[in-house]
Amino acid sequence: METIKADRVVDTRGLLCPMPVVKAKLALEEMKPGQVAKVLATDPGSRMDFPAWCNETGNKLLRAEEEGKGLYTFFIQKAREV
């Protein structure tokens, strides 16, 4: 599996919907287009929320991983400005 370099880590562990997406959105707003955020989450709903949010916003979900103990990791690349 290819290693993805994250420019920023957003730790949303312990937060429930919609806060993981809200915190990721706020973090991406401070980042430059093309940069990557690594989002850590424990909310099981985040498995559906992040792909849907990325689809709506144009941000690219590079990878979604589920590790043991209910930890989910998402690598999201900020959309390029048009």
Side-chain angles (χ1 to χ4, degrees):
M1 185 179 305
E2 181 181 334
T3 302
I4 299 174
K5 179 186 172 294
D7 297 291
R8 184 168 179 176
V9 176
V10 182
D11 188 354
T12 71
R13 291 178 288 186
L15 300 177
L16 297 176
C17 182
M19 290 312 295
V21 171
V22 170
K23 291 197 79 146
K25 176 185 180 295
L26 293 174
L28 285 175
E29 286 177 353
E30 297 174 353
M31 297 171 66
K32 296 177 183 174
Q35 287 188 314
V36 175
K38 176 181 179 180
V39 183
L40 306 173
T42 51
D43 180 7
S46 64
R47 292 177 295 176
M48 295 175 287
D49 294 341
F50 278 107
W53 178 70
C54 287
N55 190 43
E56 289 178 15
T57 60
N59 295 310
K60 187 174 182 180
L61 180 59
L62 300 175
R63 184 182 302 157
E65 300 173 344
E66 182 175 352
E67 300 178 28
K69 302 178 183 175
L71 176 61
Y72 308 99
T73 305
F74 304 91
F75 290 89
I76 301 170
Q77 185 176 46
K78 183 172 180 172
R80 303 232 179 250
E81 295 176 319
V82 183

